[in-house]
Amino acid sequence: MKLQSRVLIPILAVLILAFAIISFTSVFVMRRSIETMVNSEMQNVADSATHQIRLADDVTDSVLGMMNQKNLSLTYALALLIAENPDNLETGRLSELAARFGVSELHVTDENGVLTWGSLEDFFGFDFHDDLQTIPFLRILDDWGKNDEDNYLVQEPQPRGGDGGETVFQYIGVARVDKPGIVQVGVEMQVIEDIKSTMSIQKAVQDIKIGKEGGVFLLDNDYQLIASSSEKDILKTGLTEEAWAKEMFEKGEGVSEAGFAFGKCKTYFRLVDEYMIVTYIPLSEISAYSAEILSVIVPIGVAAGLIVMLFAAFLIRWITKKTYWYESILDCIPSMVSVTDMNKKLMFVNKSIENFYQKKRSDLLDRQCSNLGMSTCHTEGCGIHCLEKGSPVPDSSYNGVSLKVDLNYLTDKKKRKVGHIELSQDITEMVALNKKLELAIVDAQAASLAKSNFLANMSHEIRTPINAITGMASIGKSARDADRKDYSLNRIDEASKHLLGVINDILDVSKIESGKFTLSPMEFDFEKMLQNVVNVSSFRLDEKKQPFSVYVDRTIPKILIGDDQRLAQVITNLLSNAMKFTPEKGSIWLRTYLEGEKDGVCTIKITVTDTGIGINPAQQERLFKSFQQAENHTSRKFGGTGLGLSISKSIVEMMDGNIWIESKPGKGATFAFTVKLQRGREVNKPSVNWSGIRILAVDNNEMVLADIQGIVEKFGGYCDIASNGKEAVRCIEKNLGYNLYFINWECPTCLGESELLSEKLQSSIAKFGDAFVVGIFPSGGHGDFRKTNAPRMDKVLQTPLFPSIIEDIVREFFSADDQSADHADEAAIDSYSGRHLLLAEDVDINREIVLTLLEPTQLQIDCAENGCEAVRLFSESPEKYEMIFMDVQMPEMDGYEATRRIRALDAERAKTIPIVAMTANVFREDVENCLAAGMNGHIGKPLNFSEVLVALQKYLK
């Protein structure tokens, strides 16, 4: 027993000691293991917290910056939309868009800064002068219309009304477009504030737990608690008196045991940027773990396993929650974001991709891009290929939508490539705008080329008549016989008129390009306007022996209101083109029609038809464009600036009309246009009983006969026609004579029968009473009528004959009241011997021209070389002068000012003396300016001598 005792006791003691040693060692080792594990875990948690804090800061700053910029841009665009048209506020779609942008207030003020319209009726009548937050917007009213760069104001976010309330607003103001006023848009910033709160540092650490009681808290440089994962108030707000806090900031990083509100804790601290991250776990919890391990070995393993599982579950929960916030942020981004691994398997897509491809996220993730029908750089492979080579990634497209693609690698902490991230933006509108810009550039380049060609053409068109003028002047000076000199002078006159036409075209185009081309409507006689146009063109028509016919619709009012000069310019241009491109003996028709009338506004259609060379469809497209003709070689062959049709188009469109062409190559062309003109006041003339008048027209030109017969029959008269002398004789014998004869004695068919026709006329007139004979001749041919055997000529007319001309002839011969004074011959040059005239002209040659032209009038003329001298000469002898010719552009004092000063003199003669402008400023507004300055009339340069004589007769008779 003793032995047993001796043996058993030591053995037992050894066993107890061994057990104790083993137990103590196990406890020590286990505790050290637990401490090591806790320290390691706290470091890992600190690493994770550090990463999350930095990521939260970066993502929050980036995303909020993008959202702020996006909302600011969209809100500014919304404000501009309302500024352009405040009525847009009534659109429901606008309110829907505003709500999506976070816009809750839309206001529009009047010119005084008072709210008159908006989304909140409670604010109507609010004055921007009454609130400090709205006063800055009044600058927009002060700068309205002065500087486009200062027409908006973006205010920093602040509480509503500046009173420190919880609701934060950002206001944007822009200037109204239609009139002075402000459009103010208010954006509620609560959405952004919520995101900030969600993505704050507190959110980054609030769910981090270590064990049951452990967690994480953050201190700033002032030892202030700024975030904590504990639900308990374990710390005071300020920790400046805590020694352990100061020690942590001094060391920067380490492990310690600190006493908090509920006991000692194991801590791991680390200084990151401006934050002190402290990871802690109570020592009591560590001791509890150790006790459990000592009491039951197996439960310790189980507990350890459970702790690991709980910790793993906690991390998964924490990571999942954080991932949810990151996905929410990415879902707010309008760009499409997708993430794939290196095998092109989708790992993440944001909400924009779901909406764009109309597929659920669950149907896209963990699948190959190539099997999903998506248009991505991952699918096509070209983007990744470009990324590997370092070249730019090309744009993509999907169902007609253009996409801007950015593709980059995803890497882990060791910079190893683990996947790809792709950002795609819808740039369809941008692509369309770029295409429009490209087309605009092409058009601009084409316009530049056209203008270059135009300048070259202008050089030719201007130099050609100048060369003719200088050349013929040299020939005329060296010529000795009068005929040769007269020929040279005639050629100089023709070249000068051509040069004037070129200059007028250039000036008209210049005014059109600068937007200063205007119309000056006034009452005019429509037929007389047409007659003037025909008179101007008659010489060229006769020169090329081109039959010409005019048709005037009798339903067109005689007096119309419009710019007759510009209308005549269009018709003259079309006739000039028809004559230019129609060969000799080709026919030309001028036709006018009344297409309709509404409220006194008449729609007049005018056409010019020729049998010329015609124009193909490709050339027709370029006809009415500035600086272009049908073909470049056309201007060389036929001459011209290529501006006439462009100017005509502008004039017609300003008269609310259209102009077009109908043509086929080789078959002539018809230029047609419409204009709208106001009906004027009709002038009543003595009526004529047409039913008792019988008329015979004789001419070999069928167009002339058709015109005369049609005009007479529309007036209600009777008209026979004959194409030669024999037919005319048969008509006279058959009808026993006529009241009025229109006979072309120059036509070959009449010349051969002139004696017989003359005899029949004489016999008929003598037997049946008085009759009248009107000789009709083509333009330019009436000078030879005396060579014929005509019995008599009561009147001589040129074709084409207008209805008003025939009506006036009949009224003159068969009406008791003679109202045909309009057709009186021009009077001869009158003598003004002993009369004094003052000429204000600064150019020597212009003075010489006027003095020479007026020599036959025997006027005594004094000259002034500027406005000052003209005022001086008149003021010295106001009763001496009976008329003043005044130039406008002169040195020292222009003609306008000189006229005003003369009118302001005390002399009675200064108020009544006729002052007539004699100037190269010939536009309608120039005439109006002369009259406004106090002048009585206007004569344009180059001078038309007949106009000068008319002015003298008007003011000196």
Side-chain angles (χ1 to χ4, degrees), residues 529-581:
M529 181 273 298
L530 292 178
Q531 291 175 34
N532 293 334
V533 170
V534 173
N535 290 338
V536 171
S537 306
S538 61
F539 176 77
R540 184 70 184 276
L541 289 165
D542 183 64
E543 188 179 52
K544 295 187 70 173
K545 298 180 176 60
Q546 294 169 330
F548 179 57
S549 174
V550 177
Y551 169 77
V552 180
D553 190 343
R554 281 196 62 205
T555 60
I556 297 177
K558 181 176 180 59
I559 305 299
L560 295 170
I561 300 176
D563 193 328
D564 58 323
Q565 292 184 5
R566 294 302 184 185
L567 182 59
Q569 182 179 351
V570 176
I571 301 173
T572 301
N573 180 266
L574 297 183
L575 284 175
S576 176
N577 283 342
M579 291 184 288
K580 183 190 302 182
F581 298 108

Short mmCIF file of all heavy atoms in Angstrom, two decimals, residues 529-581:
data_model
loop_
_atom_site.label_atom_id
_atom_site.label_comp_id
_atom_site.label_asym_id
_atom_site.label_seq_id
_atom_site.Cartn_x
_atom_site.Cartn_y
_atom_site.Cartn_z
N MET A 529 -46.52 99.51 -116.12
CA MET A 529 -45.28 98.89 -115.67
C MET A 529 -44.80 97.87 -116.69
O MET A 529 -43.61 97.82 -117.04
CB MET A 529 -45.50 98.22 -114.30
CG MET A 529 -44.27 97.54 -113.69
SD MET A 529 -44.05 95.82 -114.23
CE MET A 529 -45.54 95.06 -113.59
N LEU A 530 -45.74 97.06 -117.23
CA LEU A 530 -45.37 96.09 -118.26
C LEU A 530 -44.89 96.78 -119.53
O LEU A 530 -43.93 96.34 -120.18
CB LEU A 530 -46.56 95.18 -118.57
CG LEU A 530 -47.01 94.22 -117.47
CD1 LEU A 530 -48.24 93.44 -117.93
CD2 LEU A 530 -45.89 93.25 -117.09
N GLN A 531 -45.54 97.89 -119.88
CA GLN A 531 -45.12 98.63 -121.07
C GLN A 531 -43.71 99.15 -120.93
O GLN A 531 -42.90 99.08 -121.87
CB GLN A 531 -46.08 99.79 -121.33
CG GLN A 531 -47.48 99.37 -121.76
CD GLN A 531 -48.42 100.55 -121.88
OE1 GLN A 531 -48.01 101.63 -122.26
NE2 GLN A 531 -49.68 100.33 -121.54
N ASN A 532 -43.38 99.67 -119.75
CA ASN A 532 -42.01 100.16 -119.53
C ASN A 532 -41.00 99.04 -119.67
O ASN A 532 -39.92 99.21 -120.23
CB ASN A 532 -41.91 100.80 -118.15
CG ASN A 532 -42.71 102.07 -118.04
OD1 ASN A 532 -42.97 102.74 -119.05
ND2 ASN A 532 -43.13 102.42 -116.84
N VAL A 533 -41.34 97.85 -119.14
CA VAL A 533 -40.44 96.71 -119.25
C VAL A 533 -40.23 96.34 -120.71
O VAL A 533 -39.11 96.10 -121.16
CB VAL A 533 -41.01 95.50 -118.46
CG1 VAL A 533 -40.20 94.24 -118.76
CG2 VAL A 533 -40.99 95.79 -116.96
N VAL A 534 -41.34 96.31 -121.48
CA VAL A 534 -41.24 95.95 -122.90
C VAL A 534 -40.45 97.00 -123.67
O VAL A 534 -39.65 96.67 -124.55
CB VAL A 534 -42.65 95.76 -123.48
CG1 VAL A 534 -42.57 95.56 -124.99
CG2 VAL A 534 -43.34 94.57 -122.83
N ASN A 535 -40.66 98.27 -123.34
CA ASN A 535 -39.92 99.33 -124.04
C ASN A 535 -38.42 99.19 -123.83
O ASN A 535 -37.62 99.41 -124.75
CB ASN A 535 -40.39 100.71 -123.55
CG ASN A 535 -41.80 101.02 -124.02
OD1 ASN A 535 -42.28 100.44 -124.99
ND2 ASN A 535 -42.49 101.91 -123.32
N VAL A 536 -38.02 98.81 -122.61
CA VAL A 536 -36.60 98.63 -122.32
C VAL A 536 -36.03 97.46 -123.12
O VAL A 536 -34.89 97.49 -123.58
CB VAL A 536 -36.39 98.40 -120.81
CG1 VAL A 536 -34.96 98.00 -120.52
CG2 VAL A 536 -36.74 99.66 -120.03
N SER A 537 -36.85 96.41 -123.31
CA SER A 537 -36.37 95.19 -123.98
C SER A 537 -36.58 95.20 -125.48
O SER A 537 -36.09 94.30 -126.18
CB SER A 537 -37.07 93.96 -123.37
OG SER A 537 -36.93 93.93 -121.97
N SER A 538 -37.33 96.16 -126.00
CA SER A 538 -37.74 96.12 -127.41
C SER A 538 -36.56 96.18 -128.37
O SER A 538 -36.57 95.54 -129.43
CB SER A 538 -38.72 97.27 -127.69
OG SER A 538 -38.08 98.52 -127.45
N PHE A 539 -35.54 96.98 -128.05
CA PHE A 539 -34.41 97.11 -128.96
C PHE A 539 -33.71 95.77 -129.17
O PHE A 539 -33.40 95.38 -130.30
CB PHE A 539 -33.42 98.14 -128.41
CG PHE A 539 -32.17 98.27 -129.26
CD1 PHE A 539 -32.19 98.98 -130.45
CD2 PHE A 539 -30.98 97.65 -128.87
CE1 PHE A 539 -31.05 99.09 -131.23
CE2 PHE A 539 -29.85 97.76 -129.65
CZ PHE A 539 -29.88 98.48 -130.83
N ARG A 540 -33.50 95.04 -128.08
CA ARG A 540 -32.82 93.74 -128.20
C ARG A 540 -33.71 92.74 -128.93
O ARG A 540 -33.20 91.93 -129.72
CB ARG A 540 -32.49 93.21 -126.79
CG ARG A 540 -31.70 91.91 -126.80
CD ARG A 540 -30.28 92.10 -127.31
NE ARG A 540 -29.57 90.85 -127.40
CZ ARG A 540 -28.94 90.27 -126.37
NH1 ARG A 540 -28.98 90.85 -125.18
NH2 ARG A 540 -28.29 89.14 -126.52
N LEU A 541 -35.03 92.79 -128.69
CA LEU A 541 -35.94 91.89 -129.40
C LEU A 541 -35.89 92.13 -130.90
O LEU A 541 -35.84 91.20 -131.70
CB LEU A 541 -37.37 92.07 -128.88
CG LEU A 541 -37.66 91.55 -127.48
CD1 LEU A 541 -38.98 92.12 -126.98
CD2 LEU A 541 -37.71 90.02 -127.48
N ASP A 542 -35.91 93.40 -131.28
CA ASP A 542 -35.87 93.74 -132.70
C ASP A 542 -34.51 93.38 -133.31
O ASP A 542 -34.43 92.95 -134.45
CB ASP A 542 -36.15 95.23 -132.88
CG ASP A 542 -36.18 95.63 -134.34
OD1 ASP A 542 -37.08 95.15 -135.06
OD2 ASP A 542 -35.30 96.39 -134.76
N GLU A 543 -33.45 93.54 -132.51
CA GLU A 543 -32.10 93.25 -133.00
C GLU A 543 -31.96 91.78 -133.36
O GLU A 543 -31.31 91.42 -134.35
CB GLU A 543 -31.09 93.65 -131.92
CG GLU A 543 -29.64 93.57 -132.36
CD GLU A 543 -28.71 93.99 -131.24
OE1 GLU A 543 -28.84 93.44 -130.12
OE2 GLU A 543 -27.88 94.88 -131.46
N LYS A 544 -32.56 90.89 -132.55
CA LYS A 544 -32.47 89.45 -132.82
C LYS A 544 -33.67 88.93 -133.61
O LYS A 544 -33.80 87.72 -133.81
CB LYS A 544 -32.36 88.68 -131.50
CG LYS A 544 -31.09 88.98 -130.72
CD LYS A 544 -30.93 88.08 -129.52
CE LYS A 544 -30.62 86.66 -129.90
NZ LYS A 544 -30.32 85.80 -128.75
N LYS A 545 -34.57 89.86 -134.04
CA LYS A 545 -35.74 89.48 -134.85
C LYS A 545 -36.54 88.37 -134.17
O LYS A 545 -36.94 87.39 -134.78
CB LYS A 545 -35.30 89.04 -136.26
CG LYS A 545 -34.60 90.14 -137.05
CD LYS A 545 -34.20 89.65 -138.43
CE LYS A 545 -33.58 90.78 -139.25
NZ LYS A 545 -32.38 91.34 -138.63
N GLN A 546 -36.80 88.56 -132.90
CA GLN A 546 -37.54 87.56 -132.11
C GLN A 546 -38.99 88.00 -131.96
O GLN A 546 -39.26 89.03 -131.33
CB GLN A 546 -36.89 87.39 -130.73
CG GLN A 546 -35.49 86.80 -130.78
CD GLN A 546 -34.79 86.88 -129.44
OE1 GLN A 546 -35.04 87.78 -128.66
NE2 GLN A 546 -33.89 85.94 -129.18
N PRO A 547 -39.96 87.27 -132.55
CA PRO A 547 -41.37 87.61 -132.35
C PRO A 547 -41.72 87.60 -130.86
O PRO A 547 -41.34 86.68 -130.13
CB PRO A 547 -42.10 86.49 -133.12
CG PRO A 547 -41.10 86.00 -134.11
CD PRO A 547 -39.77 86.12 -133.45
N PHE A 548 -42.43 88.62 -130.45
CA PHE A 548 -42.73 88.80 -129.03
C PHE A 548 -44.20 89.08 -128.86
O PHE A 548 -44.79 89.91 -129.57
CB PHE A 548 -41.89 89.95 -128.47
CG PHE A 548 -42.13 90.22 -127.02
CD1 PHE A 548 -41.95 89.23 -126.06
CD2 PHE A 548 -42.55 91.48 -126.60
CE1 PHE A 548 -42.17 89.49 -124.73
CE2 PHE A 548 -42.77 91.75 -125.26
CZ PHE A 548 -42.58 90.73 -124.32
N SER A 549 -44.83 88.38 -127.90
CA SER A 549 -46.26 88.53 -127.66
C SER A 549 -46.50 88.76 -126.17
O SER A 549 -45.82 88.16 -125.33
CB SER A 549 -47.03 87.30 -128.13
OG SER A 549 -48.39 87.39 -127.79
N VAL A 550 -47.49 89.63 -125.88
CA VAL A 550 -47.84 89.92 -124.49
C VAL A 550 -49.33 89.65 -124.31
O VAL A 550 -50.16 90.08 -125.12
CB VAL A 550 -47.53 91.39 -124.13
CG1 VAL A 550 -47.98 91.69 -122.70
CG2 VAL A 550 -46.06 91.68 -124.29
N TYR A 551 -49.66 88.94 -123.22
CA TYR A 551 -51.06 88.72 -122.86
C TYR A 551 -51.28 89.26 -121.46
O TYR A 551 -50.55 88.92 -120.52
CB TYR A 551 -51.42 87.24 -122.90
CG TYR A 551 -52.77 86.95 -122.29
CD1 TYR A 551 -53.94 87.21 -122.99
CD2 TYR A 551 -52.88 86.43 -120.99
CE1 TYR A 551 -55.20 86.97 -122.43
CE2 TYR A 551 -54.11 86.17 -120.43
CZ TYR A 551 -55.27 86.45 -121.15
OH TYR A 551 -56.49 86.22 -120.59
N VAL A 552 -52.27 90.14 -121.32
CA VAL A 552 -52.61 90.71 -120.02
C VAL A 552 -54.05 90.33 -119.70
O VAL A 552 -54.98 90.68 -120.43
CB VAL A 552 -52.46 92.24 -120.03
CG1 VAL A 552 -52.82 92.81 -118.65
CG2 VAL A 552 -51.04 92.64 -120.41
N ASP A 553 -54.22 89.62 -118.62
CA ASP A 553 -55.55 89.20 -118.16
C ASP A 553 -56.35 90.46 -117.78
O ASP A 553 -55.92 91.24 -116.93
CB ASP A 553 -55.40 88.28 -116.96
CG ASP A 553 -56.71 87.62 -116.57
OD1 ASP A 553 -57.77 88.11 -117.01
OD2 ASP A 553 -56.69 86.62 -115.84
N ARG A 554 -57.51 90.64 -118.44
CA ARG A 554 -58.31 91.84 -118.19
C ARG A 554 -58.87 91.87 -116.78
O ARG A 554 -59.28 92.94 -116.29
CB ARG A 554 -59.46 91.91 -119.19
CG ARG A 554 -59.06 92.42 -120.56
CD ARG A 554 -60.29 92.84 -121.34
NE ARG A 554 -60.98 93.94 -120.68
CZ ARG A 554 -62.28 94.21 -120.83
NH1 ARG A 554 -63.02 93.45 -121.60
NH2 ARG A 554 -62.84 95.23 -120.22
N THR A 555 -58.90 90.71 -116.08
CA THR A 555 -59.43 90.70 -114.71
C THR A 555 -58.43 91.22 -113.69
O THR A 555 -58.78 91.43 -112.54
CB THR A 555 -59.86 89.28 -114.32
OG1 THR A 555 -58.72 88.41 -114.38
CG2 THR A 555 -60.94 88.76 -115.26
N ILE A 556 -57.18 91.41 -114.12
CA ILE A 556 -56.18 91.99 -113.20
C ILE A 556 -56.52 93.45 -112.97
O ILE A 556 -56.71 94.20 -113.93
CB ILE A 556 -54.76 91.85 -113.78
CG1 ILE A 556 -54.37 90.38 -113.93
CG2 ILE A 556 -53.74 92.56 -112.89
CD1 ILE A 556 -53.01 90.17 -114.57
N PRO A 557 -56.61 93.90 -111.72
CA PRO A 557 -56.93 95.32 -111.47
C PRO A 557 -55.91 96.23 -112.14
O PRO A 557 -54.71 95.92 -112.18
CB PRO A 557 -56.85 95.43 -109.94
CG PRO A 557 -57.09 94.04 -109.44
CD PRO A 557 -56.50 93.13 -110.48
N LYS A 558 -56.39 97.35 -112.65
CA LYS A 558 -55.49 98.28 -113.34
C LYS A 558 -54.49 98.89 -112.37
O LYS A 558 -53.31 99.00 -112.68
CB LYS A 558 -56.31 99.38 -114.02
CG LYS A 558 -55.45 100.40 -114.80
CD LYS A 558 -56.31 101.40 -115.53
CE LYS A 558 -55.46 102.41 -116.29
NZ LYS A 558 -54.59 101.78 -117.28
N ILE A 559 -54.95 99.25 -111.16
CA ILE A 559 -54.08 99.86 -110.16
C ILE A 559 -53.83 98.84 -109.04
O ILE A 559 -54.78 98.30 -108.47
CB ILE A 559 -54.70 101.15 -109.58
CG1 ILE A 559 -55.04 102.12 -110.71
CG2 ILE A 559 -53.75 101.79 -108.58
CD1 ILE A 559 -53.82 102.58 -111.51
N LEU A 560 -52.56 98.59 -108.76
CA LEU A 560 -52.17 97.68 -107.70
C LEU A 560 -51.23 98.40 -106.75
O LEU A 560 -50.66 99.45 -107.08
CB LEU A 560 -51.48 96.44 -108.27
CG LEU A 560 -52.33 95.52 -109.14
CD1 LEU A 560 -51.47 94.48 -109.83
CD2 LEU A 560 -53.40 94.83 -108.29
N ILE A 561 -51.05 97.84 -105.56
CA ILE A 561 -50.13 98.40 -104.56
C ILE A 561 -48.99 97.41 -104.35
O ILE A 561 -49.23 96.26 -103.96
CB ILE A 561 -50.86 98.68 -103.23
CG1 ILE A 561 -51.98 99.68 -103.45
CG2 ILE A 561 -49.87 99.21 -102.19
CD1 ILE A 561 -52.82 99.94 -102.22
N GLY A 562 -47.80 97.86 -104.62
CA GLY A 562 -46.61 97.00 -104.46
C GLY A 562 -45.39 97.77 -104.91
O GLY A 562 -45.46 98.93 -105.31
N ASP A 563 -44.25 97.10 -104.88
CA ASP A 563 -43.00 97.72 -105.33
C ASP A 563 -42.88 97.44 -106.83
O ASP A 563 -42.38 96.38 -107.24
CB ASP A 563 -41.81 97.14 -104.56
CG ASP A 563 -40.54 97.97 -104.78
OD1 ASP A 563 -40.39 98.55 -105.87
OD2 ASP A 563 -39.70 98.02 -103.87
N ASP A 564 -43.36 98.39 -107.66
CA ASP A 564 -43.37 98.15 -109.10
C ASP A 564 -41.96 98.10 -109.68
O ASP A 564 -41.72 97.39 -110.66
CB ASP A 564 -44.18 99.24 -109.80
CG ASP A 564 -43.63 100.64 -109.52
OD1 ASP A 564 -43.19 100.89 -108.40
OD2 ASP A 564 -43.65 101.49 -110.43
N GLN A 565 -40.99 98.81 -109.07
CA GLN A 565 -39.62 98.78 -109.60
C GLN A 565 -39.02 97.39 -109.44
O GLN A 565 -38.38 96.87 -110.37
CB GLN A 565 -38.77 99.82 -108.86
CG GLN A 565 -39.15 101.25 -109.15
CD GLN A 565 -38.23 102.24 -108.47
OE1 GLN A 565 -37.24 101.86 -107.86
NE2 GLN A 565 -38.55 103.52 -108.60
N ARG A 566 -39.21 96.77 -108.26
CA ARG A 566 -38.67 95.43 -108.05
C ARG A 566 -39.41 94.40 -108.89
O ARG A 566 -38.79 93.45 -109.40
CB ARG A 566 -38.74 95.06 -106.57
CG ARG A 566 -37.86 95.91 -105.68
CD ARG A 566 -36.40 95.82 -106.09
NE ARG A 566 -35.54 96.55 -105.18
CZ ARG A 566 -34.23 96.71 -105.36
NH1 ARG A 566 -33.64 96.19 -106.42
NH2 ARG A 566 -33.51 97.38 -104.49
N LEU A 567 -40.72 94.55 -109.05
CA LEU A 567 -41.48 93.63 -109.90
C LEU A 567 -41.02 93.75 -111.35
O LEU A 567 -40.82 92.74 -112.04
CB LEU A 567 -42.98 93.94 -109.78
CG LEU A 567 -43.91 93.03 -110.57
CD1 LEU A 567 -43.75 91.58 -110.16
CD2 LEU A 567 -45.36 93.48 -110.39
N ALA A 568 -40.81 94.98 -111.82
CA ALA A 568 -40.30 95.18 -113.18
C ALA A 568 -38.89 94.60 -113.32
O ALA A 568 -38.53 94.07 -114.38
CB ALA A 568 -40.29 96.68 -113.52
N GLN A 569 -38.10 94.67 -112.25
CA GLN A 569 -36.75 94.10 -112.28
C GLN A 569 -36.80 92.59 -112.51
O GLN A 569 -36.00 92.05 -113.28
CB GLN A 569 -36.04 94.41 -110.97
CG GLN A 569 -34.61 93.90 -110.90
CD GLN A 569 -33.94 94.27 -109.59
OE1 GLN A 569 -34.48 95.03 -108.79
NE2 GLN A 569 -32.77 93.73 -109.35
N VAL A 570 -37.75 91.91 -111.87
CA VAL A 570 -37.88 90.45 -112.06
C VAL A 570 -38.28 90.14 -113.49
O VAL A 570 -37.68 89.27 -114.14
CB VAL A 570 -38.91 89.89 -111.06
CG1 VAL A 570 -39.12 88.39 -111.32
CG2 VAL A 570 -38.44 90.10 -109.63
N ILE A 571 -39.30 90.83 -114.00
CA ILE A 571 -39.77 90.55 -115.36
C ILE A 571 -38.69 90.87 -116.38
O ILE A 571 -38.46 90.10 -117.33
CB ILE A 571 -41.05 91.36 -115.66
CG1 ILE A 571 -42.15 91.00 -114.65
CG2 ILE A 571 -41.53 91.08 -117.07
CD1 ILE A 571 -43.38 91.87 -114.75
N THR A 572 -37.99 91.99 -116.19
CA THR A 572 -36.91 92.36 -117.11
C THR A 572 -35.81 91.30 -117.11
O THR A 572 -35.27 90.95 -118.17
CB THR A 572 -36.31 93.72 -116.70
OG1 THR A 572 -37.35 94.70 -116.74
CG2 THR A 572 -35.20 94.12 -117.65
N ASN A 573 -35.49 90.78 -115.94
CA ASN A 573 -34.46 89.75 -115.86
C ASN A 573 -34.88 88.49 -116.61
O ASN A 573 -34.08 87.89 -117.35
CB ASN A 573 -34.16 89.43 -114.40
CG ASN A 573 -33.10 88.36 -114.24
OD1 ASN A 573 -33.41 87.18 -114.13
ND2 ASN A 573 -31.85 88.78 -114.25
N LEU A 574 -36.15 88.08 -116.44
CA LEU A 574 -36.62 86.87 -117.12
C LEU A 574 -36.66 87.09 -118.63
O LEU A 574 -36.30 86.18 -119.40
CB LEU A 574 -37.99 86.47 -116.59
CG LEU A 574 -38.06 86.10 -115.10
CD1 LEU A 574 -39.46 85.66 -114.73
CD2 LEU A 574 -37.05 85.01 -114.76
N LEU A 575 -37.11 88.27 -119.07
CA LEU A 575 -37.11 88.55 -120.51
C LEU A 575 -35.69 88.60 -121.06
O LEU A 575 -35.42 88.11 -122.16
CB LEU A 575 -37.82 89.89 -120.77
CG LEU A 575 -39.35 89.88 -120.69
CD1 LEU A 575 -39.89 91.29 -120.86
CD2 LEU A 575 -39.94 88.96 -121.75
N SER A 576 -34.78 89.19 -120.29
CA SER A 576 -33.38 89.26 -120.73
C SER A 576 -32.79 87.86 -120.91
O SER A 576 -32.10 87.58 -121.89
CB SER A 576 -32.56 90.07 -119.72
OG SER A 576 -31.19 90.08 -120.08
N ASN A 577 -33.08 86.97 -119.95
CA ASN A 577 -32.60 85.59 -120.08
C ASN A 577 -33.23 84.90 -121.29
O ASN A 577 -32.55 84.16 -122.02
CB ASN A 577 -32.92 84.80 -118.81
CG ASN A 577 -31.98 85.13 -117.68
OD1 ASN A 577 -30.90 85.67 -117.91
ND2 ASN A 577 -32.37 84.83 -116.46
N ALA A 578 -34.54 85.13 -121.50
CA ALA A 578 -35.21 84.50 -122.65
C ALA A 578 -34.59 84.98 -123.96
O ALA A 578 -34.34 84.18 -124.87
CB ALA A 578 -36.70 84.82 -122.60
N MET A 579 -34.33 86.29 -124.07
CA MET A 579 -33.72 86.81 -125.29
C MET A 579 -32.30 86.30 -125.45
O MET A 579 -31.84 86.01 -126.56
CB MET A 579 -33.73 88.35 -125.24
CG MET A 579 -35.12 88.95 -125.36
SD MET A 579 -35.08 90.76 -125.41
CE MET A 579 -34.66 91.15 -123.72
N LYS A 580 -31.58 86.16 -124.34
CA LYS A 580 -30.18 85.75 -124.40
C LYS A 580 -30.05 84.30 -124.87
O LYS A 580 -29.18 83.98 -125.68
CB LYS A 580 -29.56 85.92 -123.01
CG LYS A 580 -28.07 85.59 -122.95
CD LYS A 580 -27.57 85.54 -121.50
CE LYS A 580 -27.81 86.82 -120.77
NZ LYS A 580 -27.28 86.77 -119.39
N PHE A 581 -30.92 83.44 -124.36
CA PHE A 581 -30.79 82.01 -124.65
C PHE A 581 -31.72 81.52 -125.76
O PHE A 581 -31.87 80.32 -125.95
CB PHE A 581 -31.02 81.20 -123.37
CG PHE A 581 -30.02 81.49 -122.30
CD1 PHE A 581 -30.37 82.21 -121.17
CD2 PHE A 581 -28.70 81.07 -122.41
CE1 PHE A 581 -29.46 82.49 -120.18
CE2 PHE A 581 -27.78 81.34 -121.43
CZ PHE A 581 -28.14 82.06 -120.31
#
